[in-house]
């Protein structure tokens, strides 16, 4: 609060009045104080003033979804590692919304967590500023951003997309389709662009008529494939943005008597256990989700104990040559 007061050239009492929305503060002064707050990434501490230098044993974790099994496995890895050292993960769900992520960051930072884990390749300017100025360990997971806030643990989605597309080309498929989404899931968007670019490098295009604005589930994976084949019945291979949607597509093929992979090949992403226990194992990219969570938590614990830590961890991926493509 003292830093904000100095930056805005006002008293700490004025800053307090602005934050509490009480007392008499002119509109101009209020605007100046709020601008300083945004610039410094200041978040009001709701704990007692006497505890201003204390931190809790809680680590804030923001993930985009709890219904996506990818993130439940990541959370398992985070929780397992934190529990060993007496820390607890407090979880917020952003629903793939940058605005909601910003709200969660402000809310969770106000309780002075010991560290912060966030899953997104993009953030709002305010979110990034708060985390940059938080003075606690911050780890971005599931991606490897070019300009991380501090630490990052994940995989290169461009390389993963290219690898999957290159594999499908070697299998002699030539007429490609895509069912997924290209909106707020920036990692999925990166993979789609990588798949598209790799196919074009080999002289092939990709038909993607339905880019959902939500992560496709079983039902939308099935309905998405139906719509795609109605518009482009000659497709011989279809990429899905995740294994859950790919499973829905495979279910449609089984119900409609479409031979997989002879008539239509299917490729997913994530390497979920469920996709490897279908009547035909999914061709997909396996990501190291549990270990990603463990490594993210370990990085925070090492920072808190002043132990040197590698700031960037590429957890890699594995191409699973399943029975669907």
């Amino acid at each position: 609060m003292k830093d904000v007061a100095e930056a805005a050239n006002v008293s700490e009492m004025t800053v307090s009045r602005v934050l509490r929305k009480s007392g008499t503060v002119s509109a101009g002064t209020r605007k100046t104080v709020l601008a300083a707050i945004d610039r410094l990434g200041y978040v009001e501490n709701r704990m007692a003033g006497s505890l201003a230098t204390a931190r809790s044993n809680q680590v804030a974790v923001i993930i985009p979804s709890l219904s996506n099994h990818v993130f439940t496995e990541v959370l398992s890895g985070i929780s397992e590692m934190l529990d060993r050292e007496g820390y607890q993960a407090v979880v917020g769900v952003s629903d793939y919304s940058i605005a909601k992520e910003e709200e969660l960051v402000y809310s969770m930072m106000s309780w002075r967590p010991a560290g912060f884990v966030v899953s997104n390749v993009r953030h709002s300017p305010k979110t990034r500023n708060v985390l940059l100025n938080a003075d606690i360990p911050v780890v971005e997971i599931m991606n490897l951003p070019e300009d991380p806030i501090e630490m990052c643990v994940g995989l290169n989605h461009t390389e993963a997309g290219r690898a999957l597309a290159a594999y499908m080309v070697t299998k002699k498929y030539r007429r490609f389709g895509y069912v997924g989404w290209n909106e707020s899931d920036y990692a999925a968007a990166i993979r789609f662009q990588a798949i598209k670019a790799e196919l074009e490098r080999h002289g092939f295009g990709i038909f993607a008529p339905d880019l959902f604005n939500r992560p496709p589930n079983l039902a939308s994976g099935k309905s998405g494939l139906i719509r795609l084949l109605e518009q482009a019945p000659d497709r011989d291979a279809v990429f899905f943005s995740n294994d859950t949607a790919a499973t829905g597509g495979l279910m449609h093929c089984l119900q409609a008597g479409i031979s997989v992979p002879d008539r239509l090949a299917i490729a997913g992403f994530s390497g979920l256990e469920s996709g490897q226990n279908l009547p035909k194992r999914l061709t997909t990219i396996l990501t190291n989700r549990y270990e990603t969570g463990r490594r993210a938590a370990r990085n925070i614990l090492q920072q808190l104990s002043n132990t040197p830590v590698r700031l960037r961890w590429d957890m890699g991926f594995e191409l699973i040559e399943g029975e669907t493509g």
Side-chain angles (χ1 to χ4, degrees), residues 64-316:
S65 171
L66 277 175
S67 61
N68 188 333
H69 292 302
V70 166
F71 296 106
T72 57
E73 292 183 40
V74 172
L75 279 178
S76 294
I78 292 173
S79 297
E80 187 268 343
M81 185 58 60
L82 292 179
D83 287 348
R84 289 184 180 184
E85 303 299 327
Y87 288 86
Q88 296 178 335
V90 179
V91 182
V93 181
S94 69
D95 292 322
Y96 294 93
S97 166
I98 287 180
K100 187 170 182 180
E101 179 189 72
E102 180 182 300
E103 293 176 2
L104 287 168
V105 166
Y106 268 77
S107 175
M108 299 170 91
M109 280 296 298
S110 69
W111 296 105
R112 297 185 64 80
F116 219 113
V117 179
V118 60
S119 174
N120 209 341
V121 73
R122 298 183 188 176
H123 313 283
S124 74
K126 285 186 177 182
T127 293
R128 185 173 179 84
N129 198 28
V130 167
L131 294 177
L132 279 169
N133 290 280
D135 193 30
I136 60 173
V138 176
V139 184
E140 294 167 280
I141 58 171
M142 304 308 291
N143 302 281
L144 295 173
E146 294 181 2
D147 183 25
I149 293 169
E150 182 183 11
M151 298 175 281
C152 58
V153 180
L155 70 145
N156 188 316
H157 289 270
T158 296
E159 290 182 2
R162 286 174 180 166
L164 186 58
Y167 169 76
M168 296 297 276
V169 169
T170 66
K171 300 293 286 186
K172 307 302 182 184
Y173 302 114
R174 297 296 181 263
R175 298 179 301 279
F176 298 96
Y178 178 85
V179 175
W181 76 323
N182 200 21
E183 286 283 337
S184 300
D185 186 344
Y186 299 110
I190 290 170
R191 292 195 303 273
F192 172 69
Q193 292 301 324
I195 290 170
K196 185 172 180 288
E198 182 66 17
L199 294 179
E200 290 174 347
R201 192 174 72 85
H202 290 278
F204 306 114
I206 185 167
F207 184 66
D210 250 339
L211 297 177
F212 302 110
N213 60 6
R214 295 292 299 168
N217 54 21
L218 279 170
S220 56
K222 178 179 178 180
S223 63
L225 180 60
I226 292 172
R227 288 193 297 273
L228 185 148
L229 293 177
E230 286 174 348
Q231 298 175 62
D234 65 336
R235 300 297 93 178
D236 61 6
V238 177
F239 296 93
F240 290 79
S241 62
N242 61 40
D243 278 4
T244 304
T247 299
L250 179 59
M251 288 180 175
H252 167 67
C253 291
L254 294 174
Q255 294 170 348
I258 300 173
S259 178
V260 177
D262 299 326
R263 164 61 186 85
L264 184 69
I266 289 176
F269 185 87
S270 289
L272 295 180
E273 183 180 359
S274 57
Q276 298 306 300
N277 285 280
L278 295 170
K280 291 193 173 183
R281 293 186 301 111
L282 279 181
T283 294
T284 186
I285 294 287
L286 174 64
T287 59
N288 298 307
R289 302 173 295 277
Y290 181 74
E291 288 303 320
T292 293
R294 282 170 52 86
R295 169 46 60 189
R298 188 180 293 119
N299 273 22
I300 286 177
L301 293 170
Q302 286 181 271
Q303 285 272 44
L304 291 173
S305 63
N306 296 316
T307 303
V309 61
R310 191 202 308 174
L311 301 181
R312 185 181 183 90
W313 284 87
D314 187 343
M315 304 302 290

Side-chain angles (χ1 to χ4, degrees), residues 4 8 18-19 21 27-40 126:
V4 173
V18 170
L19 290 170
K21 299 180 181 179
T29 298
R30 185 179 300 278
K31 183 177 180 180
T32 299
V33 171
L34 291 175
I37 287 172
D38 282 346
R39 188 167 65 253
L40 296 176
K126 285 186 177 182

